[in-house]
Amino acid sequence: MITRFADGSDRLPPLPLMAGLLGAALLSAILIWLVGGSMLVAAAYAGGLLVLILALLLTNGLRGAAEQDGHGQPDWSVTHAAIENRRRAIAITDRANRVVCSNTCYDQWFGGEAAPPELGFDESDRDRLTGAARGAWRDGVGTAEDLTFAASGKNYKLEVERSGRGEDYLVWRFTEMVVANSYDGVAERISGPFGYMMSRAGLEVALVASDGVVMAHTPGMATRAMGTPDADLRGSEFVQLLRTDDRDRIFFAREGQQGTPQTLVQVSLEPDRKSRQQGQPPAPSTMVLIDGQVGIGNRPDGAQSAAIPQLEALLSALPLGLALTDRDGRFLFANKAFLRAVEREQQGLPQYPSDLVVREDKGVLSDTVRRFARGSAASGDMAVRLAGDKEEPISLGLAGVRGLGDAAVLLSLSDSTEEKRLRRQVAQATKMQAVGQLAGGVAHDFNNVLTAIIGYCDLMLLRHTPGDSDYDDIQQIKANSNRAASLTRQLLAFSRQQTLRPVVLQLPDVVSEVSQLLKRLMGDKIEYSIRHDRELGPVRADPQQLEQVIINLAVNARDAMHSYGQNAPNDWKGRLTLATRRVSARDVRKMGIDIMPADDYTVLIVQDTGGGIPRDVINKIFEPFFTTKEQGKGTGLGLSTVYGIVKQSNGFIFADNVQGPGGNPVGARFTMYLPVHRGEMPRAAKPRRDESEKASEWSAGGKLLLVEDEDTVRAVAERALTRAGYAVTTASDGEIGLGIVANSGEQFDLVVSDVVMPVMDGPAMARAIRRVQPDIPILFMSGYAEEHLRNEIDIENMHFIPKPFSVQQINAKVADVLSLQKRKREKA
């Protein structure tokens, strides 16, 4: 007898039930013996029952053993061997979220002990990972992308699949997400419909990594290598799929010499080895197997020519620029990527590769192509300059090929249009930074000279009155010195070292302030219009400097339109348009300007109809002293000043041309980006008092220590301060000044010092003096910006006067500082 339980399983009856069955059989035999009177019949009946019970027990035991064999624990060692993969981490978990099996890649990437939901991902990634697992339990499959593992910083893509006879397990597959490369998309094309076409044409293609591992392949290669088009060769060693015979012929390993010999062509997808960053793995290669060994003497010429269209079809689909030449160096073929890289998509190929480069590179390139065509099969690269872009050298790859009919040399060239654009931007920014530093240094030294000239003029004017013969000459010298000082301020503006007084403002308010002035500047021949966007964000900038930016751009546009209008009909009229726009961080990311952070900006656009900026000039227009105007009609500092003010305001400015219907430029456009201010609104600045008012507050004299390394500046300042009633002690550098304070024992009321000096600079001297006289105020003289110095010098009770200054200005500044110090002492 067999008992069937609620779960549907058949098992042996329990011992009490078996004892009852045996007792019932014995009792039945006794009853038959008593009724029938025959012990023999009763014994036979009892024996039959025992045989039946034993047969049932034996049958049930065999069934249980069979079920034990069919539903026992799986052999995980077999599973582990099946899921081995060098490029994918795989783990299997049960319903208790325990790892029951994992491959070597999972152990290497994640440690192998913890289940996937317990790995070192951040909280948001773990939530998405857990959600993918829930989706797999529910729907059979779940996915999650861009999961960042904290320990390695790498990103992974996850696929989770429910599996098992009872669907009691989850299979987790992690794939590393790599950075986009120029050869991305090749794998999908090879394994997709394009790969089927290649296989039908007798071409088998594999994308092979630098370590020889297959990354993608055509379906036909799977059939030739493994016998089925559904076979996955990814992760396999490419060389293990092939064999060679004693004549160096190549065969598929599965087919052996019974199969067709193959011609192997390797196409590297790395356009320039020198551009690869340190630590970056080499690019993969495309391995092309052409069915039939072409170029052998016993093959007909038709087989050789048939291989060329097949190869051209493959090269045309690749993103790398590739071209073929014959043994004489003539072009046979070039794909679209090659034509795009040499900027000849419309004109097509010339006869020779040397026709693509500048005159200096023609001979070298011709000789190199012929050498690769007629020598042994080899590869290399060389730097050449294209005729259309003489400033940017490119790397041209060359490889000698054999057995492909007339084709003798394979040329490779990457489409680096975007890379060139980014390189120009970085080079331009670097050049502007270097020129700015040079301009700032020149302006600083020139300010010292102007300080002496203006100071001596002021001292001479004190001895002359209007009407004297020398008075007008001295005034003329001072006027020209002040004009030179304004030029140095423009240089400092370009080098982002001028003093700004930024406030939070709305850009349309600044435009409206200068609108009336701009209308008068434009004249009758130029129409002036303004357009404002809505909901513009506030910006933090110096309003006076922004007005200077707008005026400089408008005047530059006016001059360009006047020059363009001289060759236009008499009824021609120009148009100047000022527009404001708001640009979000999303818009910035779409523009793809790498040097500009993705943030919200308020934009000012100044656009004219002056014919545009020549291509050879547009990269130089922001450089100081560069001008296209006639001699004597421009200093070349207008746009450089604009550039410096915008950059010092943490903004960006770009120049480009507005294209007309025929593709020709019809005008120039300057676009200025200022970041939206999100901080607190600053308090209104106190009105600045007149210098004479400051000087009148202090008339008690005082002891001053004057430290300046320029003899002329020190002499002018000493005479000016002495005439004002101060007792002045001078020093030519910081060490001498520090020695005077430390050794003389005098108590000075103020230290007036230059910032940049040899041996010991002004800030270092001031810190040392503060150890002797902690409360003494410091007045720095410098040609650099006050804001820049305050960021660099962290000293309390520090004051600043910009160079060049007049005698009245330094007297007023010293009086103001001493008056302020007096008020502090009275409050204390």
Side-chain angles (χ1 to χ4, degrees):
M1 179 177 180
I2 299 174
T3 304
R4 181 170 297 275
F5 289 84
D7 59 356
S9 62
D10 298 333
R11 303 176 187 170
L12 289 173
L15 290 176
L17 183 58
M18 292 177 62
L21 291 174
L22 293 174
L26 183 59
L27 184 60
S28 300
I30 294 173
L31 290 175
I32 291 175
W33 174 50
L34 293 175
V35 174
S38 175
M39 182 177 292
L40 184 60
V41 173
Y45 178 78
L49 286 176
L50 290 175
V51 170
L52 180 60
I53 291 173
L54 290 175
L56 290 174
L57 291 175
L58 181 60
T59 303
N60 188 59
L62 292 174
R63 183 183 301 171
E67 291 178 356
Q68 180 74 13
D69 293 339
H71 299 282
Q73 292 295 323
D75 187 356
W76 293 114
S77 62
V78 177
T79 307
H80 182 276
I83 64 176
E84 274 300 305
N85 192 302
R86 295 174 58 181
R87 302 190 181 276
R88 182 178 291 182
I90 303 175
I92 302 175
T93 61
D94 57 13
R95 287 193 175 272
N97 199 28
R98 294 172 300 191
V99 177
V100 297
C101 186
S102 62
N103 66 355
T104 305
C105 193
Y106 182 89
D107 298 339
Q108 293 174 348
W109 288 2
F110 307 118
E113 297 179 359
E118 300 170 359
L119 295 176
F121 295 99
D122 58 29
E123 186 175 353
S124 60
D125 287 350
R126 276 201 300 269
D127 292 342
R128 293 193 292 124
L129 188 143
T130 305
R134 292 196 192 100
W137 284 121
R138 183 181 62 250
D139 304 325
V141 65
T143 60
E145 294 188 0
D146 203 18
L147 301 173
T148 303
F149 190 58
S152 62
K154 295 182 178 179
N155 294 345
Y156 297 93
K157 176 182 178 181
L158 170 65
E159 298 176 3
V160 190
E161 182 181 358
R162 189 178 64 210
S163 184
R165 180 179 290 103
E167 296 188 339
D168 292 329
Y169 299 93
L170 289 182
V171 180
W172 306 72
R173 296 181 178 91
F174 290 90
T175 305
E176 184 178 353
M177 301 176 65
V178 296
V179 180
N181 295 288
S182 60
Y183 49 82
D184 288 344
V186 176
E188 289 76 7
R189 296 184 185 184
I190 290 176
S191 58
F194 173 76
Y196 282 96
M197 292 190 296
M198 292 294 100
S199 296
R200 286 198 301 269
L203 291 173
E204 303 302 343
V205 185
L207 183 65
V208 181
S210 59
D211 57 358
V213 176
V214 177
M215 300 172 61
H217 57 87
T218 55
M221 177 167 285
T223 303
R224 301 288 295 273
M226 304 300 292
T228 172
D230 298 327
D232 189 357
L233 304 180
R234 291 177 297 178
S236 304
E237 295 284 347
F238 180 74
V239 295
Q240 299 298 325
L241 304 177
L242 305 175
R243 292 288 184 272
T244 57
D245 63 0
D246 53 355
R247 290 189 293 169
D248 291 330
R249 292 184 301 172
I250 301 174
F251 299 89
F252 281 97
R254 175 179 168 272
E255 298 175 352
Q257 296 187 18
Q258 303 299 322
T260 308
Q262 305 292 308
T263 298
L264 176 63
V265 179
Q266 178 182 1
V267 180
S268 175
L269 299 183
E270 186 173 53
D272 185 6
R273 298 179 181 89
K274 299 178 182 178
S275 64
R276 187 171 71 237
Q277 298 180 359
Q278 185 175 4
Q280 182 180 359
S285 299
T286 300
M287 300 294 185
V288 185
L289 290 168
I290 305 172
D291 200 1
Q293 190 174 14
V294 298
I296 304 300
N298 60 359
R299 291 191 60 82
D301 294 338
Q304 297 183 9
S305 60
I308 298 301
Q310 298 169 357
L311 186 59
E312 290 180 0
L314 170 65
L315 300 182
S316 298
L318 295 175
L320 179 65
L322 298 169
L324 291 170
T325 69
D326 61 13
R327 289 178 175 80
D328 295 326
R330 295 185 183 89
F331 273 119
L332 296 176
F333 163 80
N335 62 4
K336 292 182 179 179
F338 188 90
L339 295 175
R340 187 165 54 249
V342 298
E343 299 179 356
R344 294 186 65 93
E345 293 179 278
Q346 303 297 330
Q347 303 93 323
L349 277 177
Q351 187 174 9
Y352 294 97
S354 58
D355 296 332
L356 299 174
V357 300
V358 297
R359 180 171 55 85
E360 295 80 2
D361 295 340
K362 288 181 181 293
V364 177
L365 180 58
S366 297
D367 295 341
T368 304
V369 171
R370 292 193 184 97
R371 186 172 70 253
F372 276 91
R374 299 177 180 179
S376 59
S379 63
D381 52 27
M382 63 179 298
V384 296
R385 290 172 296 167
L386 296 177
D389 190 3
K390 300 180 181 180
E391 297 182 359
E392 294 284 345
I394 61 171
S395 177
L396 178 66
L398 303 97
V401 294
R402 302 294 179 265
L404 295 179
D406 294 333
V409 179
L410 176 67
L411 305 178
S412 61
L413 186 64
S414 63
D415 181 10
S416 57
T417 305
E418 184 67 16
E419 181 182 351
K420 289 179 182 178
R421 184 184 68 83
L422 295 176
R423 192 158 54 238
R424 288 194 199 101
Q425 288 182 353
V426 173
Q428 180 70 6
T430 304
K431 180 175 68 174
M432 297 298 282
Q433 181 71 21
V435 174
Q437 292 176 351
L438 175 63
V442 171
H444 176 266
D445 293 339
F446 196 41
N447 274 334
N448 283 330
V449 178
L450 292 176
T451 300
I453 295 174
I454 294 173
Y456 278 116
C457 286
D458 288 338
L459 293 174
M460 293 175 67
L461 288 174
L462 293 175
R463 300 194 302 270
H464 295 77
T465 58
D468 290 351
S469 59
D470 296 333
Y471 185 85
D472 293 337
D473 295 336
I474 298 171
Q475 286 284 26
Q476 190 66 32
I477 294 172
K478 184 177 180 181
N480 282 282
S481 299
N482 288 328
R483 182 184 175 191
S486 67
L487 292 178
T488 61
R489 282 193 292 270
Q490 288 180 309
L491 283 175
L492 289 173
F494 169 73
S495 60
R496 291 169 264 171
Q497 295 173 3
Q498 68 170 343
T499 300
L500 296 182
R501 294 177 176 84
V503 297
V504 178
L505 50 84
Q506 286 288 345
L507 203 53
D509 297 339
V510 181
V511 175
S512 64
E513 287 289 334
V514 297
S515 292
Q516 294 300 323
L517 175 61
L518 292 182
K519 289 179 181 178
R520 291 194 297 270
L521 289 174
M522 293 303 105
D524 298 333
K525 282 284 188 178
I526 298 175
E527 298 178 359
Y528 175 65
S529 63
I530 302 175
R531 296 196 303 268
H532 292 306
D533 205 350
R534 295 181 179 180
E535 300 179 359
L536 296 174
V539 298
R540 186 174 185 270
D542 188 328
Q544 293 182 350
Q545 298 297 334
L546 279 187
E547 291 176 4
Q548 185 68 43
V549 166
I550 297 173
I551 292 173
N552 284 9
L553 291 176
V555 170
N556 189 73
R558 179 201 63 184
D559 295 343
M561 286 187 285
H562 281 170
S563 177
Y564 180 77
Q566 291 178 356
N567 301 322
N570 293 331
D571 59 348
W572 175 88
K573 280 195 172 185
R575 173 179 289 274
L576 176 68
T577 303
L578 268 66
T580 56
R581 288 179 49 202
R582 57 188 179 92
V583 175
S584 64
R586 180 184 301 176
D587 297 330
V588 175
R589 283 190 287 268
K590 290 180 181 178
M591 288 189 293
I593 303 177
D594 292 348
I595 63 175
M596 191 166 72
D599 200 353
D600 295 336
Y601 293 88
T602 297
V603 179
L604 174 66
I605 302 173
V606 180
Q607 183 174 321
D608 62 56
T609 57
I613 307 172
R615 184 177 179 182
D616 58 337
V617 171
I618 196 167
N619 290 329
K620 304 177 182 178
I621 56 174
F622 290 121
E623 297 179 6
F625 304 113
F626 177 81
T627 180
T628 57
K629 299 177 182 178
E630 298 177 6
Q631 187 174 2
K633 290 190 176 181
T635 62
L637 290 174
L639 291 179
S640 64
T641 302
V642 168
Y643 178 86
I645 294 172
V646 173
K647 295 299 288 183
Q648 195 172 355
S649 302
N650 297 320
F652 301 88
I653 186 167
F654 303 99
D656 64 338
N657 288 323
V658 181
Q659 303 298 327
N664 297 320
V666 297
R669 175 173 54 204
F670 289 83
T671 308
M672 178 180 69
Y673 296 83
L674 293 177
V676 173
H677 178 72
R678 292 188 175 85
E680 297 181 359
M681 299 291 287
R683 297 178 181 178
K686 295 181 179 180
R688 301 183 64 186
R689 294 176 296 169
D690 186 68
E691 292 175 355
S692 60
E693 179 184 351
K694 295 179 183 178
S696 63
E697 294 182 1
W698 180 263
S699 59
K703 291 184 177 181
L704 308 181
L705 175 62
L706 176 63
V707 186
E708 169 64 58
D709 62 316
E710 287 286 339
D711 296 337
T712 55
V713 177
R714 186 174 65 253
V716 168
E718 180 185 7
R719 289 181 59 182
L721 294 172
T722 301
R723 288 180 63 91
Y726 299 104
V728 182
T729 302
T730 61
S732 59
D733 60 50
E735 279 193 350
I736 297 175
L738 177 60
I740 292 174
V741 175
N743 300 325
S744 66
E746 291 190 43
Q747 295 293 320
F748 291 97
D749 298 310
L750 175 65
V751 175
V752 182
S753 172
D754 192 11
V755 175
V756 180
M757 293 183 294
V759 185
M760 177 182 284
D761 59 19
M765 179 198 68
R767 294 187 183 96
I769 290 177
R770 284 284 175 82
R771 298 190 187 100
V772 182
Q773 290 185 239
D775 298 329
I776 188 170
I778 308 293
L779 174 60
F780 284 120
M781 307 175 293
S782 178
Y784 292 109
E786 179 179 0
E787 182 180 1
H788 174 73
L789 289 177
R790 290 192 181 276
N791 292 334
E792 296 291 332
I793 307 171
D794 185 16
I795 299 177
E796 294 183 359
N797 200 9
M798 180 190 79
H799 306 272
F800 176 82
I801 181 171
K803 292 180 180 179
F805 50 76
S806 64
V807 169
Q808 293 81 6
Q809 287 172 334
I810 189 171
N811 287 338
K813 187 65 179 180
V814 169
D816 185 51
V817 173
L818 292 175
S819 177
L820 179 62
Q821 187 71 8
K822 178 183 177 182
R823 290 195 296 269
K824 287 182 178 179
R825 291 172 182 170
E826 291 174 352
K827 290 181 181 179

